[in-house]
Amino acid sequence: MSKHAIIKESPIHGKGVFASRNIKSGETIATCHVLLLSHHEELPESIATLQFPWSDDFYALCISSIGSFFNHNKDASAKVTAQNPETETQDFIATRNIEEGEEITIFYNQEFEDYIQ
């Protein structure tokens, strides 16, 4: 769970992550536990779309907190900055100041951006 953000309905898509208070650039929004999935596993699309890059052999799927609810934006306000293999967690950090109530977004990747255009 994050002390800085909540999940609620999003005008972008489905549910999203929103700032529950003002967040400063560089501040950690959440640390999320992940499940590592092999690149060789065939996954249903509903799960495959929630993956984060992790290593040459694995993707990560957030299994706690708000990690799987960040929507995409090419002008994202947050990003994954740390992945810890020992604790199997990843950190989401604000890339700019975020106002209370604002939806917090991440940039998925260029392939996704090209797909939605």
Side-chain angles (χ1 to χ4, degrees), residues 66-112:
I66 60 176
S68 292
F69 291 94
F70 287 98
N71 281 314
H72 167 82
N73 189 319
K74 67 180 178 180
D75 298 317
S77 55
K79 66 180 180 178
V80 174
T81 59
Q83 293 176 311
N84 186 327
E86 291 179 15
T87 60
E88 293 185 352
T89 58
Q90 63 183 15
D91 293 342
F92 292 86
I93 306 296
T95 56
R96 61 168 175 77
N97 291 338
I98 303 168
E99 305 251 339
E100 181 178 350
E102 180 181 347
E103 183 164 5
I104 304 167
T105 58
I106 61 175
F107 181 81
Y108 290 1
N109 57 43
Q110 190 58 48
E111 185 175 306
F112 185 82

Side-chain angles (χ1 to χ4, degrees), residues 1-61:
M1 184 165 276
S2 171
K3 295 178 184 177
H4 312 306
I6 58 171
I7 299 167
K8 63 182 191 177
E9 293 299 316
S10 166
I12 296 173
H13 176 78
K15 295 189 185 302
V17 178
F18 292 80
S20 58
R21 64 164 181 79
N22 291 340
I23 301 170
K24 293 182 181 179
S25 180
E27 197 172 342
T28 299
I29 298 165
T31 298
C32 300
H33 288 89
V34 299
L35 173 66
L36 298 181
L37 305 167
S38 171
H39 285 277
H40 304 291
E41 292 182 52
E42 288 193 34
L43 302 170
E45 184 178 347
S46 60
I47 293 175
T49 59
L50 300 174
Q51 297 175 20
F52 290 88
W54 185 269
S55 70
D56 289 340
D57 297 319
F58 295 100
Y59 288 110
L61 177 66

